[in-house]
Amino acid sequence: MKKNILLLVASTIVVLAICEVCIRLLFPQINAHDAMFQFDETLGWVFIPNKKGTIVYEGGIHHVLQVNEDGFRDFSFQSKKGSTKIMVLGDSFVSNISVKDEEVFTQVMEDQLNNTSVYNLGVNGYGQVQEYLVLKEWYPKLQPDLIMLMIYLRNDFTDNMGKFPWLYPRPTFVFDEKNTPKIIPPSTEFKTKKELPFYYRSHLYRFVKKSFSNIKSKTVKADDASYTPPELYTCRYPMTEDSKELYDMMERIIIEIHQYGKENNTPVVFALAPSMVQVEDELWFQLKAYDSSIQLQNDLPNATLLNFAAAHNINMVDLLPALKKADSEKSPMYNSNEQHWTAAGNKVVADVLSKYIQEINIKSKDSLQ
């Protein structure tokens, strides 16, 4: 009897070990995403310089992410040799950690544009407040010929209000009666994440846990969910007072960034990155059914910001039409689980932005000296 019990235990351990190895190889579950960042007293958080980690998401996303020595997801800044320099700021739609290095739209642009270096200064979770601070820190170091800033139309509005921290607290702006911004630094009073139990290192445990969570989520009614899609605020027509406040803050920060470019004789281009819900018709119809009492306009944030930009002589390009057209004709533009651009989506974005840059004919400052 005792021998049989030991045999059963040993067999179980062997089976679990085989399952662990198979899942690690075929369906890896542990993502190094959160471990790639550290707290920063000015910006809230930054990529850890020279940090390397494995990025894993459902849908076949599995590759190694390497942060450069300057703390950004890009090849070494020192290795770039193009005479025309483009500085790209933004959040995870610029860092694009779900695709390989050569597939990120900034690298595709660098390959498309003659004698041009494209610097990717995107950091996951950032809003325009943090991007403005990165601009002020890195502009003197890079001396770019063009500043490009990506606005993600899903959560950048609320990020700028500072109401929702990410892995760490974020800085915010407060404008006085003269419309002069005052920077409120991120709070240093936050709880460090506790060390996870040892079994969280098991891919098998994560796989089983996720499977049960997926089963449970399918039994939860939609009206019981505590999550409200951001598009119910940003695409709501007519706007509520809360929505107007979000747009007002966004427009004030856009003016500040545009003015910084003017003061340094450097053009600024704002690019509007739509959400997956705006691009994919099926998701948009699901959103409209979420609350039938709310009237929604798919391109409201795009149209509102484009009109604002035109009124203030600001360069702005909308990525929604190209992504929506390509999504209906080609492979998906977004990873359905991770919700950022696929390699195909990055290619479409690069095509639009490269064409726009060629049309406005940016001159290298080095060539003017």
Side-chain angles (χ1 to χ4, degrees):
M1 182 70 178
K2 184 176 181 181
K3 184 177 180 181
N4 290 338
I5 293 175
L6 291 174
L7 182 61
L8 176 62
V9 171
S11 300
T12 301
I13 292 173
V14 170
V15 170
L16 290 175
I18 292 173
C19 290
E20 175 72 22
V21 171
C22 290
I23 291 176
R24 281 178 182 245
L25 293 174
L26 301 175
F27 308 102
Q29 302 292 306
I30 297 179
N31 195 337
H33 176 279
D34 290 9
M36 303 298 292
F37 304 90
Q38 64 186 8
F39 178 71
D40 183 85
E41 292 184 354
T42 301
L43 296 165
W45 60 90
V46 293
F47 275 117
I48 301 173
N50 297 312
K51 180 75 173 180
K52 181 184 291 186
T54 302
I55 301 301
V56 179
Y57 290 103
E58 292 181 19
I61 299 172
H62 184 201
H63 60 267
V64 174
L65 173 68
Q66 174 68 61
V67 179
N68 68 18
E69 64 268 30
D70 294 305
F72 296 101
R73 194 271 165 99
D74 197 349
F75 295 107
S76 173
F77 288 172
Q78 284 69 37
S79 67
K80 295 180 181 289
K81 299 178 181 178
S83 63
T84 300
K85 295 180 287 187
I86 301 174
M87 177 183 189
V88 184
L89 303 159
D91 61 3
S92 52
F93 274 85
V94 174
S95 59
N96 266 280
I97 68 171
S98 67
V99 296
K100 299 176 181 177
D101 292 342
E102 65 272 14
E103 295 171 335
V104 181
F105 76 90
T106 50
Q107 185 58 43
V108 178
M109 288 171 62
E110 191 167 280
D111 296 337
Q112 292 175 336
L113 298 169
N114 293 328
N115 198 25
T116 299
S117 291
V118 182
Y119 298 85
N120 187 318
L121 279 77
V123 179
N124 296 32
Y126 275 15
Q128 277 65 62
V129 173
Q130 288 153 302
E131 291 153 17
Y132 174 72
L133 296 175
V134 171
L135 170 63
K136 293 185 71 174
E137 177 184 352
W138 279 91
Y139 180 90
K141 301 175 184 178
L142 298 179
Q143 288 294 308
D145 305 294
L146 173 70
I147 300 163
M148 179 171 286
L149 188 141
M150 188 77 68
I151 298 174
Y152 180 39
L153 298 175
R154 187 156 218 247
N155 57 27
D156 277 3
F157 288 95
T158 51
D159 288 347
N160 291 335
M161 305 301 290
K163 295 180 180 179
F164 302 101
W166 198 60
L167 294 176
Y168 302 97
R170 63 176 75 245
T172 55
F173 272 174
V174 175
F175 288 87
D176 62 21
E177 62 280 357
K178 295 181 180 179
N179 259 349
T180 302
K182 176 184 178 183
I183 299 171
I184 307 299
S187 172
T188 57
E189 297 179 3
F190 61 90
K191 293 182 179 179
T192 304
K193 287 191 174 184
K194 295 180 179 179
E195 186 71 26
L196 293 174
F198 73 93
Y199 49 80
Y200 266 76
R201 300 175 186 174
S202 166
H203 289 246
L204 175 60
Y205 172 80
R206 296 284 191 98
F207 179 80
V208 173
K209 185 174 185 291
K210 184 185 293 182
S211 298
F212 276 109
S213 296
N214 289 339
I215 293 172
K216 181 180 179 181
S217 66
K218 292 178 181 179
T219 66
V220 178
K221 295 182 179 179
D223 55 6
D224 290 335
S226 59
Y227 171 73
T228 302
E231 290 85 358
L232 293 182
Y233 296 102
T234 59
C235 297
R236 186 167 183 165
Y237 184 83
M239 289 186 191
T240 64
E241 290 303 313
D242 287 344
S243 296
K244 290 177 181 178
E245 184 181 1
L246 296 176
Y247 277 91
D248 179 65
M249 177 62 77
M250 173 70 77
E251 291 168 354
R252 289 184 178 202
I253 300 174
I254 288 175
I255 288 291
E256 287 298 316
I257 295 171
H258 174 68
Q259 186 61 34
Y260 184 89
K262 285 183 64 177
E263 291 171 356
N264 288 278
N265 298 312
T266 305
V268 181
V269 173
F270 295 89
L272 303 181
S275 69
M276 185 169 69
V277 175
Q278 287 180 279
V279 171
E280 298 185 7
D281 290 338
E282 182 179 349
L283 293 178
W284 179 253
F285 293 141
Q286 290 177 13
L287 176 71
K288 292 181 71 175
Y290 188 93
D291 188 340
S292 58
S293 67
I294 297 176
Q295 184 176 349
L296 300 174
Q297 181 181 324
N298 183 279
D299 67 344
L300 179 62
N302 312 63
T304 302
L305 293 180
L306 285 170
N307 289 335
F308 173 80
H312 292 82
N313 198 28
I314 293 172
N315 295 317
M316 187 172 286
V317 56
D318 186 10
L319 300 172
L320 176 60
L323 286 167
K324 200 170 182 63
K325 182 174 185 293
D327 188 76
S328 63
E329 297 176 349
K330 303 178 183 179
S331 56
M333 297 291 102
Y334 292 75
N335 290 300
S336 59
N337 295 296
E338 196 265 347
Q339 297 191 19
H340 290 78
W341 293 320
T342 59
N346 273 276
K347 177 63 165 58
V348 170
V349 170
D351 291 344
V352 172
L353 297 179
S354 291
K355 181 181 178 182
Y356 186 88
I357 289 169
Q358 289 167 336
E359 289 174 350
I360 61 177
N361 193 24
I362 299 301
K363 299 291 186 181
S364 168
K365 292 176 181 174
D366 293 339
S367 67
L368 298 176
Q369 293 177 355

PDB file of all heavy atoms in Angstrom, residues 243-273:
ATOM      1  N   SER A 243     -16.618  65.204 -19.500  1.00  0.00           N
ATOM      2  CA  SER A 243     -15.906  65.015 -20.759  1.00  0.00           C
ATOM      3  C   SER A 243     -15.257  66.315 -21.214  1.00  0.00           C
ATOM      4  O   SER A 243     -14.111  66.317 -21.689  1.00  0.00           O
ATOM      5  CB  SER A 243     -16.865  64.510 -21.843  1.00  0.00           C
ATOM      6  OG  SER A 243     -17.380  63.238 -21.510  1.00  0.00           O
ATOM      7  N   LYS A 244     -15.953  67.421 -21.063  1.00  0.00           N
ATOM      8  CA  LYS A 244     -15.404  68.720 -21.454  1.00  0.00           C
ATOM      9  C   LYS A 244     -14.148  69.044 -20.655  1.00  0.00           C
ATOM     10  O   LYS A 244     -13.192  69.628 -21.180  1.00  0.00           O
ATOM     11  CB  LYS A 244     -16.450  69.819 -21.254  1.00  0.00           C
ATOM     12  CG  LYS A 244     -17.622  69.751 -22.227  1.00  0.00           C
ATOM     13  CD  LYS A 244     -18.652  70.821 -21.936  1.00  0.00           C
ATOM     14  CE  LYS A 244     -19.833  70.725 -22.895  1.00  0.00           C
ATOM     15  NZ  LYS A 244     -20.880  71.729 -22.590  1.00  0.00           N
ATOM     16  N   GLU A 245     -14.153  68.652 -19.382  1.00  0.00           N
ATOM     17  CA  GLU A 245     -12.976  68.882 -18.534  1.00  0.00           C
ATOM     18  C   GLU A 245     -11.780  68.083 -19.054  1.00  0.00           C
ATOM     19  O   GLU A 245     -10.650  68.577 -19.071  1.00  0.00           O
ATOM     20  CB  GLU A 245     -13.294  68.470 -17.097  1.00  0.00           C
ATOM     21  CG  GLU A 245     -12.178  68.752 -16.103  1.00  0.00           C
ATOM     22  CD  GLU A 245     -12.507  68.320 -14.693  1.00  0.00           C
ATOM     23  OE1 GLU A 245     -13.609  67.776 -14.475  1.00  0.00           O
ATOM     24  OE2 GLU A 245     -11.651  68.495 -13.800  1.00  0.00           O
ATOM     25  N   LEU A 246     -12.022  66.840 -19.503  1.00  0.00           N
ATOM     26  CA  LEU A 246     -10.955  66.005 -20.056  1.00  0.00           C
ATOM     27  C   LEU A 246     -10.368  66.634 -21.312  1.00  0.00           C
ATOM     28  O   LEU A 246      -9.139  66.694 -21.481  1.00  0.00           O
ATOM     29  CB  LEU A 246     -11.493  64.610 -20.382  1.00  0.00           C
ATOM     30  CG  LEU A 246     -11.988  63.741 -19.222  1.00  0.00           C
ATOM     31  CD1 LEU A 246     -12.564  62.429 -19.755  1.00  0.00           C
ATOM     32  CD2 LEU A 246     -10.865  63.455 -18.234  1.00  0.00           C
ATOM     33  N   TYR A 247     -11.239  67.111 -22.196  1.00  0.00           N
ATOM     34  CA  TYR A 247     -10.785  67.723 -23.440  1.00  0.00           C
ATOM     35  C   TYR A 247     -10.053  69.034 -23.180  1.00  0.00           C
ATOM     36  O   TYR A 247      -9.064  69.351 -23.846  1.00  0.00           O
ATOM     37  CB  TYR A 247     -11.964  67.960 -24.384  1.00  0.00           C
ATOM     38  CG  TYR A 247     -12.345  66.746 -25.190  1.00  0.00           C
ATOM     39  CD1 TYR A 247     -13.298  65.849 -24.730  1.00  0.00           C
ATOM     40  CD2 TYR A 247     -11.742  66.478 -26.413  1.00  0.00           C
ATOM     41  CE1 TYR A 247     -13.651  64.728 -25.463  1.00  0.00           C
ATOM     42  CE2 TYR A 247     -12.084  65.363 -27.160  1.00  0.00           C
ATOM     43  CZ  TYR A 247     -13.034  64.486 -26.678  1.00  0.00           C
ATOM     44  OH  TYR A 247     -13.382  63.377 -27.416  1.00  0.00           O
ATOM     45  N   ASP A 248     -10.533  69.791 -22.213  1.00  0.00           N
ATOM     46  CA  ASP A 248      -9.904  71.073 -21.890  1.00  0.00           C
ATOM     47  C   ASP A 248      -8.462  70.872 -21.427  1.00  0.00           C
ATOM     48  O   ASP A 248      -7.545  71.581 -21.861  1.00  0.00           O
ATOM     49  CB  ASP A 248     -10.713  71.796 -20.808  1.00  0.00           C
ATOM     50  CG  ASP A 248     -10.077  73.125 -20.411  1.00  0.00           C
ATOM     51  OD1 ASP A 248     -10.015  74.024 -21.265  1.00  0.00           O
ATOM     52  OD2 ASP A 248      -9.644  73.250 -19.249  1.00  0.00           O
ATOM     53  N   MET A 249      -8.239  69.875 -20.552  1.00  0.00           N
ATOM     54  CA  MET A 249      -6.882  69.595 -20.080  1.00  0.00           C
ATOM     55  C   MET A 249      -5.994  69.127 -21.228  1.00  0.00           C
ATOM     56  O   MET A 249      -4.835  69.574 -21.364  1.00  0.00           O
ATOM     57  CB  MET A 249      -6.918  68.532 -18.977  1.00  0.00           C
ATOM     58  CG  MET A 249      -5.533  68.124 -18.466  1.00  0.00           C
ATOM     59  SD  MET A 249      -4.599  69.488 -17.719  1.00  0.00           S
ATOM     60  CE  MET A 249      -5.425  69.599 -16.108  1.00  0.00           C
ATOM     61  N   MET A 250      -6.525  68.256 -22.075  1.00  0.00           N
ATOM     62  CA  MET A 250      -5.758  67.773 -23.223  1.00  0.00           C
ATOM     63  C   MET A 250      -5.331  68.930 -24.118  1.00  0.00           C
ATOM     64  O   MET A 250      -4.164  69.041 -24.539  1.00  0.00           O
ATOM     65  CB  MET A 250      -6.589  66.769 -24.025  1.00  0.00           C
ATOM     66  CG  MET A 250      -5.944  66.315 -25.341  1.00  0.00           C
ATOM     67  SD  MET A 250      -4.502  65.268 -25.104  1.00  0.00           S
ATOM     68  CE  MET A 250      -5.311  63.711 -24.669  1.00  0.00           C
ATOM     69  N   GLU A 251      -6.241  69.840 -24.416  1.00  0.00           N
ATOM     70  CA  GLU A 251      -5.948  70.955 -25.319  1.00  0.00           C
ATOM     71  C   GLU A 251      -4.931  71.913 -24.713  1.00  0.00           C
ATOM     72  O   GLU A 251      -4.056  72.437 -25.416  1.00  0.00           O
ATOM     73  CB  GLU A 251      -7.249  71.679 -25.675  1.00  0.00           C
ATOM     74  CG  GLU A 251      -8.159  70.825 -26.569  1.00  0.00           C
ATOM     75  CD  GLU A 251      -9.568  71.378 -26.701  1.00  0.00           C
ATOM     76  OE1 GLU A 251      -9.874  72.385 -25.994  1.00  0.00           O
ATOM     77  OE2 GLU A 251     -10.365  70.819 -27.467  1.00  0.00           O
ATOM     78  N   ARG A 252      -4.987  72.122 -23.415  1.00  0.00           N
ATOM     79  CA  ARG A 252      -4.021  73.003 -22.753  1.00  0.00           C
ATOM     80  C   ARG A 252      -2.606  72.424 -22.836  1.00  0.00           C
ATOM     81  O   ARG A 252      -1.634  73.154 -23.068  1.00  0.00           O
ATOM     82  CB  ARG A 252      -4.405  73.209 -21.286  1.00  0.00           C
ATOM     83  CG  ARG A 252      -5.646  74.069 -21.080  1.00  0.00           C
ATOM     84  CD  ARG A 252      -5.890  74.297 -19.609  1.00  0.00           C
ATOM     85  NE  ARG A 252      -7.045  75.148 -19.379  1.00  0.00           N
ATOM     86  CZ  ARG A 252      -7.239  75.844 -18.265  1.00  0.00           C
ATOM     87  NH1 ARG A 252      -6.343  75.812 -17.300  1.00  0.00           N
ATOM     88  NH2 ARG A 252      -8.315  76.578 -18.114  1.00  0.00           N
ATOM     89  N   ILE A 253      -2.498  71.118 -22.655  1.00  0.00           N
ATOM     90  CA  ILE A 253      -1.179  70.489 -22.712  1.00  0.00           C
ATOM     91  C   ILE A 253      -0.651  70.491 -24.142  1.00  0.00           C
ATOM     92  O   ILE A 253       0.552  70.698 -24.375  1.00  0.00           O
ATOM     93  CB  ILE A 253      -1.234  69.052 -22.148  1.00  0.00           C
ATOM     94  CG1 ILE A 253      -1.691  69.080 -20.687  1.00  0.00           C
ATOM     95  CG2 ILE A 253       0.140  68.384 -22.252  1.00  0.00           C
ATOM     96  CD1 ILE A 253      -1.917  67.707 -20.086  1.00  0.00           C
ATOM     97  N   ILE A 254      -1.527  70.272 -25.115  1.00  0.00           N
ATOM     98  CA  ILE A 254      -1.119  70.331 -26.524  1.00  0.00           C
ATOM     99  C   ILE A 254      -0.537  71.708 -26.843  1.00  0.00           C
ATOM    100  O   ILE A 254       0.501  71.826 -27.504  1.00  0.00           O
ATOM    101  CB  ILE A 254      -2.308  70.019 -27.452  1.00  0.00           C
ATOM    102  CG1 ILE A 254      -2.657  68.521 -27.374  1.00  0.00           C
ATOM    103  CG2 ILE A 254      -1.998  70.411 -28.899  1.00  0.00           C
ATOM    104  CD1 ILE A 254      -3.890  68.134 -28.154  1.00  0.00           C
ATOM    105  N   ILE A 255      -1.185  72.742 -26.349  1.00  0.00           N
ATOM    106  CA  ILE A 255      -0.686  74.114 -26.563  1.00  0.00           C
ATOM    107  C   ILE A 255       0.700  74.284 -25.955  1.00  0.00           C
ATOM    108  O   ILE A 255       1.605  74.887 -26.569  1.00  0.00           O
ATOM    109  CB  ILE A 255      -1.670  75.145 -25.960  1.00  0.00           C
ATOM    110  CG1 ILE A 255      -2.943  75.229 -26.802  1.00  0.00           C
ATOM    111  CG2 ILE A 255      -1.019  76.513 -25.851  1.00  0.00           C
ATOM    112  CD1 ILE A 255      -2.750  75.859 -28.167  1.00  0.00           C
ATOM    113  N   GLU A 256       0.907  73.759 -24.747  1.00  0.00           N
ATOM    114  CA  GLU A 256       2.208  73.878 -24.078  1.00  0.00           C
ATOM    115  C   GLU A 256       3.310  73.194 -24.892  1.00  0.00           C
ATOM    116  O   GLU A 256       4.409  73.743 -25.057  1.00  0.00           O
ATOM    117  CB  GLU A 256       2.139  73.260 -22.676  1.00  0.00           C
ATOM    118  CG  GLU A 256       1.369  74.074 -21.659  1.00  0.00           C
ATOM    119  CD  GLU A 256       1.982  75.436 -21.411  1.00  0.00           C
ATOM    120  OE1 GLU A 256       3.223  75.521 -21.277  1.00  0.00           O
ATOM    121  OE2 GLU A 256       1.225  76.419 -21.351  1.00  0.00           O
ATOM    122  N   ILE A 257       3.023  71.998 -25.392  1.00  0.00           N
ATOM    123  CA  ILE A 257       4.021  71.252 -26.167  1.00  0.00           C
ATOM    124  C   ILE A 257       4.287  71.946 -27.498  1.00  0.00           C
ATOM    125  O   ILE A 257       5.441  72.074 -27.934  1.00  0.00           O
ATOM    126  CB  ILE A 257       3.542  69.803 -26.380  1.00  0.00           C
ATOM    127  CG1 ILE A 257       3.470  69.091 -25.023  1.00  0.00           C
ATOM    128  CG2 ILE A 257       4.459  69.056 -27.349  1.00  0.00           C
ATOM    129  CD1 ILE A 257       2.800  67.736 -25.061  1.00  0.00           C
ATOM    130  N   HIS A 258       3.232  72.421 -28.136  1.00  0.00           N
ATOM    131  CA  HIS A 258       3.372  73.149 -29.399  1.00  0.00           C
ATOM    132  C   HIS A 258       4.205  74.419 -29.195  1.00  0.00           C
ATOM    133  O   HIS A 258       5.087  74.743 -30.006  1.00  0.00           O
ATOM    134  CB  HIS A 258       1.982  73.504 -29.934  1.00  0.00           C
ATOM    135  CG  HIS A 258       2.003  74.378 -31.144  1.00  0.00           C
ATOM    136  ND1 HIS A 258       2.469  73.957 -32.373  1.00  0.00           N
ATOM    137  CD2 HIS A 258       1.614  75.681 -31.311  1.00  0.00           C
ATOM    138  CE1 HIS A 258       2.356  74.941 -33.244  1.00  0.00           C
ATOM    139  NE2 HIS A 258       1.851  75.994 -32.637  1.00  0.00           N
ATOM    140  N   GLN A 259       3.960  75.115 -28.101  1.00  0.00           N
ATOM    141  CA  GLN A 259       4.686  76.339 -27.806  1.00  0.00           C
ATOM    142  C   GLN A 259       6.158  76.053 -27.536  1.00  0.00           C
ATOM    143  O   GLN A 259       7.041  76.819 -27.952  1.00  0.00           O
ATOM    144  CB  GLN A 259       4.058  77.045 -26.590  1.00  0.00           C
ATOM    145  CG  GLN A 259       4.640  78.407 -26.270  1.00  0.00           C
ATOM    146  CD  GLN A 259       4.471  79.411 -27.396  1.00  0.00           C
ATOM    147  OE1 GLN A 259       3.461  79.379 -28.114  1.00  0.00           O
ATOM    148  NE2 GLN A 259       5.449  80.293 -27.568  1.00  0.00           N
ATOM    149  N   TYR A 260       6.440  74.936 -26.871  1.00  0.00           N
ATOM    150  CA  TYR A 260       7.836  74.560 -26.611  1.00  0.00           C
ATOM    151  C   TYR A 260       8.566  74.352 -27.933  1.00  0.00           C
ATOM    152  O   TYR A 260       9.725  74.775 -28.090  1.00  0.00           O
ATOM    153  CB  TYR A 260       7.888  73.283 -25.766  1.00  0.00           C
ATOM    154  CG  TYR A 260       9.291  72.880 -25.373  1.00  0.00           C
ATOM    155  CD1 TYR A 260       9.876  73.358 -24.206  1.00  0.00           C
ATOM    156  CD2 TYR A 260      10.042  72.021 -26.177  1.00  0.00           C
ATOM    157  CE1 TYR A 260      11.169  73.006 -23.843  1.00  0.00           C
ATOM    158  CE2 TYR A 260      11.341  71.660 -25.827  1.00  0.00           C
ATOM    159  CZ  TYR A 260      11.897  72.150 -24.663  1.00  0.00           C
ATOM    160  OH  TYR A 260      13.186  71.794 -24.318  1.00  0.00           O
ATOM    161  N   GLY A 261       7.914  73.722 -28.889  1.00  0.00           N
ATOM    162  CA  GLY A 261       8.514  73.529 -30.198  1.00  0.00           C
ATOM    163  C   GLY A 261       8.788  74.853 -30.894  1.00  0.00           C
ATOM    164  O   GLY A 261       9.867  75.053 -31.475  1.00  0.00           O
ATOM    165  N   LYS A 262       7.835  75.777 -30.822  1.00  0.00           N
ATOM    166  CA  LYS A 262       8.010  77.086 -31.457  1.00  0.00           C
ATOM    167  C   LYS A 262       9.183  77.840 -30.856  1.00  0.00           C
ATOM    168  O   LYS A 262       9.979  78.454 -31.570  1.00  0.00           O
ATOM    169  CB  LYS A 262       6.730  77.913 -31.314  1.00  0.00           C
ATOM    170  CG  LYS A 262       5.589  77.485 -32.223  1.00  0.00           C
ATOM    171  CD  LYS A 262       4.383  78.386 -32.080  1.00  0.00           C
ATOM    172  CE  LYS A 262       4.681  79.809 -32.531  1.00  0.00           C
ATOM    173  NZ  LYS A 262       3.492  80.683 -32.470  1.00  0.00           N
ATOM    174  N   GLU A 263       9.292  77.783 -29.529  1.00  0.00           N
ATOM    175  CA  GLU A 263      10.379  78.489 -28.848  1.00  0.00           C
ATOM    176  C   GLU A 263      11.747  77.932 -29.237  1.00  0.00           C
ATOM    177  O   GLU A 263      12.751  78.641 -29.175  1.00  0.00           O
ATOM    178  CB  GLU A 263      10.189  78.380 -27.334  1.00  0.00           C
ATOM    179  CG  GLU A 263       8.987  79.163 -26.816  1.00  0.00           C
ATOM    180  CD  GLU A 263       8.679  78.862 -25.361  1.00  0.00           C
ATOM    181  OE1 GLU A 263       9.376  77.981 -24.785  1.00  0.00           O
ATOM    182  OE2 GLU A 263       7.744  79.463 -24.803  1.00  0.00           O
ATOM    183  N   ASN A 264      11.785  76.665 -29.675  1.00  0.00           N
ATOM    184  CA  ASN A 264      13.048  76.034 -30.060  1.00  0.00           C
ATOM    185  C   ASN A 264      13.163  75.855 -31.574  1.00  0.00           C
ATOM    186  O   ASN A 264      14.031  75.098 -32.045  1.00  0.00           O
ATOM    187  CB  ASN A 264      13.173  74.678 -29.358  1.00  0.00           C
ATOM    188  CG  ASN A 264      13.435  74.810 -27.872  1.00  0.00           C
ATOM    189  OD1 ASN A 264      14.565  75.022 -27.441  1.00  0.00           O
ATOM    190  ND2 ASN A 264      12.379  74.698 -27.075  1.00  0.00           N
ATOM    191  N   ASN A 265      12.296  76.568 -32.309  1.00  0.00           N
ATOM    192  CA  ASN A 265      12.330  76.524 -33.777  1.00  0.00           C
ATOM    193  C   ASN A 265      12.290  75.101 -34.324  1.00  0.00           C
ATOM    194  O   ASN A 265      12.989  74.745 -35.273  1.00  0.00           O
ATOM    195  CB  ASN A 265      13.581  77.240 -34.311  1.00  0.00           C
ATOM    196  CG  ASN A 265      13.598  78.712 -33.940  1.00  0.00           C
ATOM    197  OD1 ASN A 265      12.599  79.412 -34.115  1.00  0.00           O
ATOM    198  ND2 ASN A 265      14.723  79.183 -33.412  1.00  0.00           N
ATOM    199  N   THR A 266      11.481  74.274 -33.696  1.00  0.00           N
ATOM    200  CA  THR A 266      11.349  72.875 -34.102  1.00  0.00           C
ATOM    201  C   THR A 266       9.871  72.537 -34.289  1.00  0.00           C
ATOM    202  O   THR A 266       9.086  72.695 -33.343  1.00  0.00           O
ATOM    203  CB  THR A 266      11.950  71.934 -33.042  1.00  0.00           C
ATOM    204  OG1 THR A 266      13.306  72.317 -32.792  1.00  0.00           O
ATOM    205  CG2 THR A 266      11.914  70.490 -33.510  1.00  0.00           C
ATOM    206  N   PRO A 267       9.482  72.084 -35.473  1.00  0.00           N
ATOM    207  CA  PRO A 267       8.069  71.740 -35.691  1.00  0.00           C
ATOM    208  C   PRO A 267       7.630  70.559 -34.826  1.00  0.00           C
ATOM    209  O   PRO A 267       8.430  69.656 -34.545  1.00  0.00           O
ATOM    210  CB  PRO A 267       7.999  71.394 -37.175  1.00  0.00           C
ATOM    211  CG  PRO A 267       9.403  71.058 -37.566  1.00  0.00           C
ATOM    212  CD  PRO A 267      10.290  71.879 -36.687  1.00  0.00           C
ATOM    213  N   VAL A 268       6.379  70.585 -34.413  1.00  0.00           N
ATOM    214  CA  VAL A 268       5.788  69.506 -33.620  1.00  0.00           C
ATOM    215  C   VAL A 268       4.613  68.931 -34.414  1.00  0.00           C
ATOM    216  O   VAL A 268       3.782  69.690 -34.925  1.00  0.00           O
ATOM    217  CB  VAL A 268       5.289  70.001 -32.249  1.00  0.00           C
ATOM    218  CG1 VAL A 268       4.701  68.832 -31.450  1.00  0.00           C
ATOM    219  CG2 VAL A 268       6.418  70.665 -31.469  1.00  0.00           C
ATOM    220  N   VAL A 269       4.546  67.617 -34.497  1.00  0.00           N
ATOM    221  CA  VAL A 269       3.427  66.938 -35.141  1.00  0.00           C
ATOM    222  C   VAL A 269       2.761  66.042 -34.099  1.00  0.00           C
ATOM    223  O   VAL A 269       3.432  65.235 -33.452  1.00  0.00           O
ATOM    224  CB  VAL A 269       3.885  66.079 -36.338  1.00  0.00           C
ATOM    225  CG1 VAL A 269       2.720  65.243 -36.875  1.00  0.00           C
ATOM    226  CG2 VAL A 269       4.466  66.951 -37.437  1.00  0.00           C
ATOM    227  N   PHE A 270       1.463  66.193 -33.942  1.00  0.00           N
ATOM    228  CA  PHE A 270       0.689  65.336 -33.050  1.00  0.00           C
ATOM    229  C   PHE A 270      -0.004  64.262 -33.895  1.00  0.00           C
ATOM    230  O   PHE A 270      -0.640  64.580 -34.908  1.00  0.00           O
ATOM    231  CB  PHE A 270      -0.347  66.144 -32.272  1.00  0.00           C
ATOM    232  CG  PHE A 270       0.247  67.139 -31.320  1.00  0.00           C
ATOM    233  CD1 PHE A 270       0.550  68.430 -31.747  1.00  0.00           C
ATOM    234  CD2 PHE A 270       0.523  66.791 -30.007  1.00  0.00           C
ATOM    235  CE1 PHE A 270       1.112  69.361 -30.888  1.00  0.00           C
ATOM    236  CE2 PHE A 270       1.088  67.716 -29.130  1.00  0.00           C
ATOM    237  CZ  PHE A 270       1.385  69.005 -29.570  1.00  0.00           C
ATOM    238  N   ALA A 271       0.122  63.002 -33.499  1.00  0.00           N
ATOM    239  CA  ALA A 271      -0.526  61.898 -34.200  1.00  0.00           C
ATOM    240  C   ALA A 271      -1.602  61.303 -33.297  1.00  0.00           C
ATOM    241  O   ALA A 271      -1.353  61.054 -32.110  1.00  0.00           O
ATOM    242  CB  ALA A 271       0.498  60.832 -34.583  1.00  0.00           C
ATOM    243  N   LEU A 272      -2.794  61.106 -33.838  1.00  0.00           N
ATOM    244  CA  LEU A 272      -3.925  60.595 -33.068  1.00  0.00           C
ATOM    245  C   LEU A 272      -4.038  59.089 -33.256  1.00  0.00           C
ATOM    246  O   LEU A 272      -4.317  58.606 -34.356  1.00  0.00           O
ATOM    247  CB  LEU A 272      -5.216  61.281 -33.505  1.00  0.00           C
ATOM    248  CG  LEU A 272      -5.225  62.814 -33.413  1.00  0.00           C
ATOM    249  CD1 LEU A 272      -6.576  63.362 -33.864  1.00  0.00           C
ATOM    250  CD2 LEU A 272      -4.897  63.282 -31.991  1.00  0.00           C
ATOM    251  N   ALA A 273      -3.807  58.339 -32.179  1.00  0.00           N
ATOM    252  CA  ALA A 273      -3.886  56.877 -32.207  1.00  0.00           C
ATOM    253  C   ALA A 273      -5.253  56.436 -31.699  1.00  0.00           C
ATOM    254  O   ALA A 273      -5.552  56.597 -30.513  1.00  0.00           O
ATOM    255  CB  ALA A 273      -2.779  56.272 -31.346  1.00  0.00           C
TER     256      ALA A 273
END
